[in-house]
Amino acid sequence: MANVLKVLGTWKFWKELLIMTVGISFGAAAVYYFLMPSKLIIGSISGLAIVLSEVTGMIGFPIKVSTLILIINAILLLMAWFLIGHEFGLKTVYTALILGPIIDIFEKVLPYEKIIPGGGSVMGDPWFDLICFVLMLSISQAILFRINASTGGLDILAKIVNKYLHFDIGMSVTIAGALICCTAFAINPFRMVVIGLIGTWINGIAVDYFMATLGRRKKVCVVSDEYEKIRQYITKTLDRGCSLYKMEGGYSGKTNIEVVSILTQDEYAKLFNFLKEEDIQAFITAGNVSEVYGNWNQKSRLAQREKGKTEPSTDITPPTTPAQ
């Protein structure tokens, strides 16, 4: 209990809670405004819920889409808890539980019937609905995957495929989603099913793109006689680690030290300005890095230990995806 209270008192917990709420709201809006009106069935649990809602309506026992999403997610959350890890399960419990209610909020505050009084597609064409849905859902999934959470449902299946079969997240989303798309044959014509399959494939590509963009860092390599000044600036001012490599110039034959560090775009700009302001002569190369493994994000670890101010971690168990 004491550990739980410490976690609740940390900024990291409340920051991630806000991120999860914003991320899942994007996903809920995508489902409500672009899937439900046109009955597009993309490879997602929301798509499966739409199919089941229509089927239950046909047999005289209609169930709301938001209710079905909650039921299906509850089953999949148990799978996430045992197969993926407690942290992923706990975070996804929150997002899965609020997905249905947020859809209900959109329904009450701004129902899509007001946007399209005649019914049908919000954008006037299923292909435009598909594009809007994929963009919004991919952003939602990428935001949540970055903090080891998800929108629930299909993301849980994708995470299981990613963990045990080692496919990329985007490919995992595509595999799991394609199976769900096929259920659309129960309510949609062949053309709409094909659109859904194409949308699922595009969604997988978009997720990989947005994840790479959100996690992009700069690998900076600096060669200079004043490498010690550069090292001090990176470690003391930017509060980042770096590596020093002894090297020899192929043209000059001069021995020197290369400083290598992984920085955010903003930190890279600060380093560049520092070199200019201090008039440090240096040879600099920089490239984009989309994945960083290890403890890169844990800044000031030594200083915090010395001062005894290390915040309690909100991680319940070690993360199931590499820390970014």
Side-chain angles (χ1 to χ4, degrees):
M1 185 62 183
N3 188 48
V4 172
L5 292 175
K6 287 180 180 178
V7 169
L8 292 176
T10 61
W11 162 241
K12 181 183 176 185
F13 171 81
W14 294 106
K15 180 180 73 172
E16 291 190 348
L17 190 71
L18 177 62
I19 291 172
M20 286 188 286
T21 303
V22 172
I24 200 65
S25 295
F26 268 94
V31 171
Y32 182 71
Y33 290 109
F34 299 112
L35 281 195
M36 291 176 62
S38 60
K39 293 183 175 58
L40 262 176
I41 307 304
I42 307 298
S44 66
I45 295 306
S46 300
L48 179 60
I50 293 172
V51 172
L52 293 176
S53 180
E54 290 292 316
V55 171
T56 55
M58 292 175 186
I59 61 177
F61 298 99
I63 304 175
K64 289 180 66 176
V65 172
S66 57
T67 303
L68 287 167
I69 289 174
L70 190 61
I71 294 171
I72 297 170
N73 274 333
I75 296 170
L76 290 174
L77 283 170
L78 291 175
M79 296 173 60
W81 182 273
F82 292 108
L83 297 178
I84 301 176
H86 294 179
E87 182 199 8
F88 183 84
L90 287 172
K91 288 181 177 179
T92 307
V93 163
Y94 173 72
T95 55
L97 287 178
I98 67 171
L99 177 59
I102 290 178
I103 290 176
D104 286 336
I105 291 172
F106 284 127
E107 186 176 11
K108 291 178 181 178
V109 175
L110 184 62
Y112 61 73
E113 288 86 357
K114 287 187 176 180
I115 303 175
I116 43 170
S121 167
V122 170
M123 301 299 293
D125 185 282
W127 284 105
F128 287 117
D129 283 337
L130 171 68
I131 293 170
C132 292
F133 171 79
V134 167
L135 286 175
M136 289 187 68
L137 183 66
S138 298
I139 292 171
S140 173
Q141 289 173 317
I143 290 171
L144 293 169
F145 279 147
R146 297 302 301 181
I147 59 171
N148 206 28
S150 82
T151 57
L154 178 65
D155 297 348
I156 295 174
L157 296 178
K159 269 285 195 176
I160 292 172
V161 173
N162 171 251
K163 180 174 181 179
Y164 292 100
L165 299 181
H166 307 293
F167 289 126
D168 289 340
I169 286 290
M171 178 59 70
S172 302
V173 169
T174 303
I175 292 172
L179 297 176
I180 293 175
C181 275
C182 294
T183 64
F185 282 111
I187 63 169
N188 281 342
F190 180 76
R191 172 176 174 270
M192 294 293 285
V193 176
V194 171
I195 292 176
L197 285 168
I198 293 173
T200 302
W201 173 64
I202 295 173
N203 180 217
I205 296 173
V207 169
D208 278 342
Y209 170 77
F210 283 119
M211 286 194 71
T213 302
L214 287 172
R216 187 167 294 160
R217 302 289 181 262
K218 286 286 187 182
K219 180 180 181 180
V220 184
C221 304
V222 185
V223 179
S224 173
D225 292 334
E226 299 182 74
Y227 68 89
E228 182 57 26
K229 274 189 180 181
I230 299 169
R231 186 190 71 81
Q232 288 286 339
Y233 182 78
I234 292 174
T235 57
K236 301 299 182 183
T237 304
L238 298 182
D239 201 13
R240 290 294 182 194
C242 65
S243 300
L244 305 180
Y245 296 96
K246 192 173 183 179
M247 46 82 68
E248 181 178 335
Y251 181 77
S252 65
K254 181 181 177 182
T255 301
N256 215 325
I257 298 294
E258 180 183 37
V259 182
V260 179
S261 185
I262 305 295
L263 306 173
T264 64
Q265 184 67 45
D266 182 57
E267 290 165 347
Y268 169 64
K270 289 179 180 178
L271 175 62
F272 202 83
N273 288 334
F274 168 76
L275 296 175
K276 289 170 60 177
E277 290 171 0
E278 295 293 319
D279 196 25
I280 295 176
Q281 298 298 312
F283 177 76
I284 310 167
T285 58
N288 291 324
V289 176
S290 60
E291 294 289 341
V292 182
Y293 292 77
N295 297 322
W296 181 85
N297 224 15
Q298 299 178 22
K299 299 176 72 172
S300 299
R301 295 186 302 276
L302 181 59
Q304 287 179 354
R305 289 195 195 102
E306 290 175 348
K307 296 178 182 178
K309 294 183 179 179
T310 305
E311 284 190 342
S313 173
T314 59
D315 295 343
I316 306 303
T317 58
T320 58
T321 56
Q324 301 301 319

